[in-house]
Amino acid sequence: MQDDMADMLEQADEVQEAMGRTYGMPEVDDDDLQAELDALGDEIALDDVTSYLDGVTKAPDREPGADSIVPGKVFQRNIMYTS
């Protein structure tokens, strides 16, 4: 059991080491990132279109396809019966 625990700890160390690598990414300053985020926020605030839902005014009055329902007629397997 101690061997299994030692193996698990070794694997955890390998994962930790892999997660800590930078892979050639440049160092980024937190202040620079915050400034860029603020600039994006200002740009979004100035945008005329603020949401893809701006054109939606209300919910539909009835379900889609409700116009095709004929009162008093029952459809079964493409055969129309009248009542």
Side-chain angles (χ1 to χ4, degrees):
M1 182 147 130
Q2 287 181 345
D3 290 338
D4 291 340
M5 274 306 266
D7 289 341
M8 289 174 53
L9 288 172
E10 186 178 334
Q11 288 176 353
D13 288 340
E14 290 174 6
V15 169
Q16 191 72 11
E17 182 182 331
M19 295 294 286
R21 292 184 191 147
T22 60
Y23 296 103
M25 295 292 296
E27 289 293 320
V28 180
D29 186 31
D30 288 340
D31 294 331
D32 292 340
L33 287 176
Q34 187 62 43
E36 187 173 343
L37 182 61
D38 291 340
L40 285 172
D42 293 342
E43 183 179 320
I44 290 172
L46 294 175
D47 193 5
D48 291 339
V49 180
T50 57
S51 173
Y52 67 97
L53 295 174
D54 284 345
V56 177
T57 57
K58 63 177 185 167
D61 294 336
R62 56 186 156 207
E63 292 184 33
D67 294 334
S68 64
I69 297 174
V70 179
K73 300 202 183 220
V74 179
F75 292 90
Q76 282 184 332
R77 294 191 183 138
N78 298 329
I79 302 171
M80 184 174 67
Y81 299 97
T82 59
S83 55

